Amino acid sequence: MSKEQDYQQALKLEEQQDFPGALSVYKKLIEGSDDPRYFIAYGVCLQRLSHWKQSIAPLEHGIELKPHYCEGDARLFLATAYLESGQKKKAIEQWKLVSQMEPEYPSYEHVPDEAKRMLAKYA
């Protein structure tokens, strides 16, 4: 199977609520990869299992790899990981960044609006 087929398989496993199965596929995908989608998806999947601290490194790395789109979404997930792992200050930093971002695919206005909502709640 190609990496893209594996990625689609992992997404399908997530849709079926098989998060441990999806995690094992994502783990293989990130080995030696420079595709930000794999790292971001891996981090999000870890969050679905409430593995907040473990989700931080793959999300940070995915963002460092400069995704073509969904950077705002990834930063919202990262902010949630920071908040849930007791790093509120870092979460606030992410929300501030996201609140200033231009709306983009796939979530458009939802991303900066959500960041502003979280800032109002926690800052």
Side-chain angles (χ1 to χ4, degrees), residues 37-92:
R37 296 176 305 157
Y38 304 157
F39 289 92
I40 293 167
Y42 181 54
V44 171
C45 192
L46 284 165
Q47 287 187 358
R48 295 190 196 284
L49 293 167
S50 298
H51 297 288
W52 304 108
K53 284 184 182 177
Q54 296 94 323
S55 73
I56 292 171
L59 288 168
E60 287 176 336
H61 190 67
I63 292 166
E64 286 171 11
L65 290 171
K66 308 247 186 269
H68 295 294
Y69 62 90
C70 82
E71 179 182 349
D73 297 85
R75 288 186 182 279
L76 283 180
F77 285 118
L78 180 58
T80 300
Y82 284 144
L83 183 67
E84 292 292 334
S85 63
Q87 300 177 65
K88 182 178 170 185
K89 194 173 186 178
K90 286 186 173 184
I92 289 170

Side-chain angles (χ1 to χ4, degrees), residues 8-22:
Q8 293 304 317
Q9 178 194 10
L11 293 173
K12 184 178 262 186
L13 288 168
E14 275 194 87
E15 282 178 25
Q16 297 167 351
Q17 307 288 307
D18 181 2
F19 302 119

Side-chain angles (χ1 to χ4, degrees), residues 2 6 12-13 16 23 35 39 50 72 74 98 115 119:
S2 73
D6 286 343
K12 184 178 262 186
L13 288 168
Q16 297 167 351
L23 274 181
D35 189 327
F39 289 92
S50 298
V98 175
L119 281 169

